[in-house]
Amino acid sequence: MNLTLIEVAKMCGGELSPNSDEQLLINNVVIDSRKAVDNTLFVAIIGEKQDAHEFIAELHQSNTKVASLVSRNQVLKLNIPEIITQLPNLIYVEDTVKALGKLAGSYRQQFDIPIVGITGSNGKTTVKEMLKLICDYQFGAMHVLATEGNLNNHLGVPLSLFKLNSSHKVAILEMGMNHAGELDYLSNLAKPTITIVNNVRLAHAGFFNAIEDIARAKAEIYHGLVDNGVACINVLEPLYSIFEQNIAPKIKRFYYGNNSTVCYIKTSSANGEMCVVTPKGDLKVTLQVLGEHNQKNALSAIAIALNLNCDRLNVEKGLNDYKGFARRLEKKTAFNGALIIDDSYNANQSSVEAAILAIKGLPKPHWLILADLKELGKFGNQAHEEIGRFAAGNEIDKLLTIGELAEIANTSFTGDKLHFKSNQDVVKYCLNNLPKTATLLIKGSLSTNLKEVVNSLLK
């Protein structure tokens, strides 16, 4: 990013405070005042627990080469000392979140490169990381911008776009949502050239009445596609017709998933070997990550890569290099030599079931520590009941549950089982009873803090 302060103000529709340095160069945008160094624009966000407007005066008193995007009404509402209305290098707007998005959207328009938008209930981060490795080979790592961490919401996507510079040849943006309308906003802001919905499952279902509503909300990612853009559509998704309803007629459709399309998995095996039919010839890869679901994630990455015109060899090399990432089906060694599969980063029903299937073929017995799955709303009880039955029918030898919702899964599980009141209690039990030959899968929502269970059981 390389804009003057006056350019930033015009792009976000703001008004500069008196005595501002209109030519102050802005090369970074942050929403954390502690990260605001010289030539940074600090965007004051009104959070649930804290209002960042409270830090503006102190920030500007300590650094004359920073600028801030502020809400004039909020400054008046908080009755912040008069000095704040006299500070230079402030951009006044009505709503800082909306102005952040407007600025990001305007900045994105300066780049004529492929912009990929990826969403889905499960696997969007995996698809993004797989695609990044492919693009690193195709374009060179320094020429590839990809979402970092979990910057996939109404704040994170704009912050990711500000990282664009003239050296980039492609940008890969992960886009998340838990309410209808969010992806419509993000897609129209980022104006992607290629978009994909990896899948639709009961994730963040508490804000929806039916899975069809989730599909419609996910399909909003197609709304912002540029006129010559490409919509990648997985025909194996039961609700893919809803995707099509949200794609403008002028948009090119790239169908993939089965042998009625030009891109599908021809053969696959439990050890990660895949042969994928593509218009560029068959691709042969060996994934280093567990699970059939990751083979499907790889297929989505391939579908996008084909539309980026990536060479077949680079697609193969990128996917072969993918090793997964922390706390997502990550193999670890327990205190007694047993195998731990740490999948504690987050969870919904389909990802729990996918993880259970992924450990088939690993050393037995198979133990599962399951904590509550959050944000399922009215689907919560049913989902946990179904997980219990699914685990019983798919080689889980012992189920250990924590939490009120997980106890429902415990009740429907017909095998050996125990329920615990706390993470500490399940750790104590495992330290005394986990077989040395076992595979222990650990799964639950991020807020259940199963990370502490994993860490307590490591060698």
Side-chain angles (χ1 to χ4, degrees):
M1 188 176 191
N2 197 18
L3 299 170
T4 63
L5 184 59
I6 188 64
E7 287 175 326
V8 171
K10 289 178 179 178
M11 289 167 72
C12 69
E15 178 185 350
L16 280 178
S17 61
N19 302 316
S20 292
D21 179 1
E22 294 186 355
Q23 299 308 308
L24 176 67
L25 195 63
I26 300 297
N27 55 30
N28 191 28
V29 180
V30 301
I31 58 174
D32 183 340
S33 62
R34 294 167 297 184
K35 297 179 180 179
V37 295
D38 286 1
N39 305 106
T40 294
L41 176 69
F42 168 58
V43 181
I45 302 296
I46 304 169
E48 293 181 4
K49 298 181 179 179
Q50 210 158 33
D51 186 342
H53 288 80
E54 297 172 1
F55 305 116
I56 293 169
E58 180 182 355
L59 172 63
H60 282 256
Q61 286 171 343
S62 62
N63 191 332
T64 60
K65 291 187 177 181
V66 298
S68 292
L69 185 65
V70 302
S71 165
R72 188 189 297 273
N73 290 337
Q74 193 65 13
V75 169
L76 296 173
K77 180 180 177 182
L78 292 176
N79 193 27
I80 294 175
E82 279 299 309
I83 187 172
I84 202 165
T85 62
Q86 301 168 11
L87 288 173
N89 301 339
L90 301 183
I91 302 175
Y92 289 110
V93 294
E94 183 177 338
D95 184 310
T96 54
V97 173
K98 290 180 180 178
L100 174 70
K102 186 174 182 179
L103 176 61
S106 297
Y107 183 67
R108 179 263 179 268
Q109 293 303 315
Q110 298 186 8
F111 299 88
D112 185 19
I113 62 171
I115 304 280
V116 178
I118 301 171
T119 196
S121 298
N122 296 329
K124 53 186 174 289
T125 303
T126 299
V127 174
K128 180 254 299 181
E129 292 296 327
M130 287 177 167
L131 182 63
K132 182 184 183 303
L133 287 171
I134 294 169
C135 289
D136 284 351
Y137 278 110
Q138 181 69 30
F139 302 103
M142 68 173 289
H143 301 301
V144 180
L145 175 69
T147 300
E148 297 178 359
N150 60 352
L151 295 176
N152 64 8
N153 64 4
H154 65 295
L155 301 178
V157 171
L159 292 175
S160 296
L161 284 169
F162 293 132
K163 301 295 184 183
L164 277 171
N165 62 53
S166 59
S167 71
H168 289 125
K169 296 181 179 179
V170 63
I172 307 166
L173 301 178
E174 179 182 331
M175 299 183 185
M177 71 93 200
N178 58 21
H179 290 84
E182 287 182 281
L183 285 174
D184 177 81
Y185 172 75
L186 293 177
S187 183
N188 278 293
L189 182 155
K191 288 296 178 184
T193 60
I194 303 171
T195 56
I196 196 168
V197 179
N198 192 42
N199 51 43
V200 176
R201 303 290 184 270
L202 286 174
H204 303 295
F207 303 103
F208 297 94
N209 292 318
I211 194 166
E212 290 80 5
D213 295 330
I214 298 175
R216 276 185 280 274
K218 295 290 184 188
E220 291 171 5
I221 197 171
Y222 298 117
H223 291 182
L225 274 166
V226 296
D227 288 350
N228 60 344
V230 180
C232 295
I233 303 170
N234 184 355
V235 300
L236 294 179
E237 277 298 298
L239 299 173
Y240 84 88
S241 63
I242 292 178
F243 303 167
E244 293 189 296
Q245 295 165 16
N246 283 268
I247 301 169
K250 58 191 173 185
I251 299 298
K252 176 186 173 183
R253 290 152 171 78
F254 181 85
Y255 296 97
Y256 72 101
N258 64 22
N259 61 10
S260 70
T261 70
V262 296
C263 179
Y264 61 93
I265 298 174
K266 185 178 181 180
T267 60
S268 64
S269 62
N271 68 358
E273 291 183 357
M274 299 171 59
C275 178
V276 179
V277 174
T278 81
K280 294 192 174 190
D282 289 0
L283 297 175
K284 295 183 179 179
V285 300
T286 302
L287 298 179
Q288 300 183 55
V289 287
L290 294 170
E292 180 184 353
H293 64 293
N294 275 320
Q295 295 175 357
K296 294 177 179 177
N297 291 335
L299 183 63
S300 289
I302 291 169
I304 301 168
L306 291 171
N307 284 283
L308 290 171
N309 201 29
C310 294
D311 298 335
R312 186 174 65 178
L313 181 61
N314 290 331
V315 176
E316 292 175 338
K317 288 193 294 187
L319 291 175
N320 286 334
D321 280 359
Y322 180 72
K323 297 180 175 64
F325 39 94
R327 299 171 62 196
R328 303 193 187 192
L329 289 176
E330 184 180 7
K331 291 184 178 181
K332 297 179 177 179
T333 303
F335 63 95
N336 63 352
L339 175 62
I340 291 177
I341 303 298
D342 179 4
D343 205 27
S344 63
Y345 178 76
N346 217 340
N348 56 49
Q349 181 180 354
S350 60
S351 69
V352 173
E353 293 173 354
I356 290 170
L357 293 176
I359 67 170
K360 284 189 174 183
L362 295 180
K364 289 197 169 188
H366 290 173
W367 284 29
L368 169 61
I369 294 178
L370 178 70
D372 288 352
L373 312 186
K374 307 291 188 179
E375 293 188 20
L376 292 178
K378 69 178 185 179
F379 302 101
N381 289 3
Q382 176 186 339
H384 286 82
E385 182 181 349
E386 290 175 357
I387 287 171
R389 291 199 300 268
F390 186 88
N394 285 279
E395 303 180 17
I396 295 299
D397 300 297
K398 193 177 192 89
L399 177 64
L400 310 177
T401 54
I402 314 154
E404 292 182 14
L405 287 169
E407 190 171 12
I408 297 172
N410 190 288
T411 301
S412 63
F413 183 78
T414 54
D416 192 8
K417 57 190 177 184
L418 290 168
H419 184 72
F420 298 88
K421 292 183 179 180
S422 69
N423 289 352
Q424 292 75 22
D425 289 342
V426 77
V427 167
K428 189 180 299 183
Y429 179 83
C430 288
L431 288 173
N432 292 316
N433 296 280
L434 181 66
K436 295 180 179 180
T437 60
T439 295
L440 173 62
L441 172 62
I442 302 178
K443 188 76 174 164
S445 284
L446 184 62
S447 61
T448 61
N449 198 25
L450 287 180
K451 180 181 179 180
E452 69 176 3
V453 173
V454 175
N455 291 339
S456 298
L457 294 176
L458 292 180
K459 188 171 183 179

